[in-house]
Amino acid sequence: MNKLITNRTKVLKLTNVLRYVCQIEKEDFDFNISIVQMQSFIRSKGAVQVGPLIQYINSYVNENGEIKMDICLMLQCNTYIHSIEEPYKMESVIRVPNCMYCRYIGSEDKLSFAYQKIQIEAFENDIPLKGDSYTVFVSRDDENDIITADVFMERADS
């Protein structure tokens, strides 16, 4: 049931977003623990998580010529949380217009095909990309080891 469905112009819109910039250089960093902590924080503020996990990745070259990557985990809430504490940030709306998009259905270890599909389609059609991506983890079927994920990559020609 592997599947890739693409679109060249999609808009990503997220509301009431709790953001956490990951400290992946720390030895004891664990994505799963960070997600559980975010969910607990949302509940402790009287809000409810709406929708799935969103992962933002931005790749860049630093001043030393090294390739670096920022990773941010995001969860949408049913309401805006006003009393935010570090390490979290809250945004009322994140709107990313003019994205290339790929819906991926398959095993999680092959999710990179969705990113590659967008990059190949952009290359073939002379569409410049900004180099960042948003991955929305729509659903997971643990029994069959299948995930559904939506990948958005912002175009640089907008």
Side-chain angles (χ1 to χ4, degrees):
M1 175 172 203
N2 297 321
K3 198 179 246 190
L4 294 169
I5 303 165
T6 61
N7 188 316
R8 291 187 194 162
T9 53
K10 277 275 204 186
V11 175
L12 173 65
K13 184 178 178 189
L14 307 171
T15 56
N16 299 324
V17 180
L18 181 69
R19 298 181 54 215
Y20 171 66
V21 176
C22 300
Q23 306 295 320
I24 56 176
E25 59 276 347
K26 285 186 173 180
E27 272 183 40
D28 61 343
F29 179 76
D30 185 322
F31 279 102
N32 293 325
I33 291 173
S34 297
I35 294 165
V36 169
Q37 289 172 336
M38 289 177 74
Q39 292 167 331
S40 295
F41 180 81
I42 290 169
R43 283 191 303 276
S44 75
K45 297 299 181 178
V48 175
Q49 177 184 336
V50 176
L53 171 71
I54 300 114
Q55 177 181 287
Y56 169 77
I57 298 175
N58 182 33
S59 302
Y60 60 94
V61 178
N62 71 5
E63 62 278 352
N64 299 328
E66 303 166 325
I67 296 176
K68 292 292 182 179
M69 188 175 3
D70 291 333
I71 299 176
C72 178
L73 301 176
M74 298 186 276
L75 293 173
Q76 294 181 92
C77 304
N78 66 332
T79 186
Y80 186 88
I81 301 171
H82 291 280
S83 55
I84 292 297
E85 301 150 15
E86 288 292 329
Y88 304 118
K89 302 239 185 290
M90 192 77 191
E91 295 194 37
S92 58
V93 176
I94 295 175
R95 188 174 189 282
V96 188
N98 204 20
C99 291
M100 293 196 67
Y101 163 85
C102 184
R103 158 85 29 121
Y104 172 80
I105 302 170
S107 65
E108 189 167 5
D109 64 338
K110 293 189 174 44
L111 177 60
S112 63
F113 289 156
Y115 301 96
Q116 293 167 7
K117 176 85 170 180
I118 290 173
Q119 292 166 338
I120 289 168
E121 190 166 323
F123 171 76
E124 289 177 340
N125 294 285
D126 296 319
I127 299 171
L129 298 173
K130 287 193 174 180
D132 55 354
S133 67
Y134 294 82
T135 305
V136 181
F137 293 92
V138 177
S139 66
R140 174 184 302 275
D141 176 356
D142 289 327
E143 187 176 304
N144 296 311
D145 190 34
I146 301 289
I147 67 164
T148 301
D150 292 337
V151 177
F152 295 82
M153 289 187 171
E154 191 173 2
R155 295 170 57 147
D157 61 352
S158 56

